[in-house]
Amino acid sequence: MMPDIALDTYEEADRNAMADAMAVMARAFDPAYGEAWTLPQLSGVMLMPGTWLTIARTDAAPLGFALVRSVLDECELLLLAVDPLWRGRGVGETLLRDSLRTARRRGIISMNLEVRSTNNAIGLYEKVGFEYVHRRPGYYRGNDGQLHDALSFRKDMHM
Ligand SMILES: CC(C)(COP(=O)(O)OP(=O)(O)OC[C@H]1O[C@@H](n2cnc3c(N)ncnc32)[C@H](O)[C@@H]1OP(=O)(O)O)[C@@H](O)C(=O)NCCC(=O)NCCS
């Protein structure tokens, strides 16, 4: 069942919000792929104008987050993650739809993203209307040295 969640959006490098995102980060990403960001990477991008971080919480505990960076009228979903204990209950979809709403409110016309071709998140992106754009062979290197293709997706806001 969908938990009772609050979504809080931050446009500045808020320490507590970044700590919450890092707590989810540490649990959400499979270390095999080396996809989790470090705190300096997260705070670096939060210092760039046009970035926003949305944290989903229940009873103040962080369940997931979305990180988006916009440049002019386009934006990119940089990260989307949900704590493994809270998956499959709509938290990721809620975060993604909220990010799309925020983007639309800001006059942004499209959201882009890049994802490892074997990532289950693709099911979520397609469900909310992202369309496949192209494949970059061997774009990601896992910690075991294995290469993985990247797929890029795009959603136009008017669709
Ligand atoms: C991807 C991720 C954010 C999904 O979060 P979630 O809260 O479990 O997703 P939701 O419960 O909101 O799922 C919504 C829809 O997404 C799709 N989906 C989610 N997880 C899926 C899975 N493991 N396999 C296939 N489809 C999936 C389904 O269509 C689902 O809709 P349905 O429940 O009606 O079938 C989560 O699995 C995660 O944190 N993964 C690790 C981090 C990551 O790789 N992020 C993406 C790249 S940054």
Side-chain angles (χ1 to χ4, degrees):
M1 205 177 79
M2 176 72 178
D4 196 8
I5 59 172
L7 299 179
D8 297 307
T9 295
Y10 303 84
E11 296 181 46
E12 320 231 308
D14 180 281
R15 276 193 182 200
N16 292 332
M18 291 194 298
D20 280 351
M22 290 309 295
V24 173
M25 191 98 72
R27 297 171 46 77
F29 288 91
D30 184 339
Y33 300 111
E35 291 168 343
W37 288 25
T38 61
L39 180 58
Q41 285 173 312
L42 178 60
S43 47
V45 84
M46 287 307 300
L47 292 172
M48 294 178 185
T51 305
W52 72 88
L53 171 67
T54 303
I55 312 269
R57 298 190 178 91
T58 187
D59 296 331
L63 313 182
F65 71 89
L67 179 67
V68 181
R69 184 173 169 223
S70 63
V71 177
L72 302 175
D73 60 357
E74 296 206 316
C75 69
E76 183 177 8
L77 179 69
L78 298 173
L79 290 172
L80 175 69
V82 173
D83 186 297
L85 288 176
W86 291 92
R87 289 198 188 147
R89 296 198 234 179
V91 177
E93 184 172 342
T94 301
L95 278 163
L96 184 51
R97 290 192 188 279
D98 180 78
S99 301
L100 288 164
R101 264 194 305 275
T102 302
R104 261 188 222 105
R105 260 201 319 271
R106 293 175 181 211
I108 290 168
I109 59 170
S110 68
M111 183 178 282
N112 300 285
L113 66 87
E114 213 146 68
V115 62
R116 174 172 34 82
S117 62
T118 52
N119 194 324
N120 288 328
I122 290 169
L124 171 55
Y125 301 142
E126 288 177 338
K127 182 178 181 187
V128 305
F130 278 81
E131 291 182 343
Y132 167 77
V133 180
H134 69 272
R135 176 182 289 263
R136 290 208 172 102
Y139 185 71
Y140 297 113
R141 183 184 294 273
N143 286 341
D144 59 0
Q146 200 188 327
L147 298 179
H148 301 270
D149 294 357
L151 304 185
S152 63
F153 285 83
R154 176 183 179 92
K155 180 168 168 69
D156 290 327
M157 294 302 166
H158 62 272
M159 293 167 73

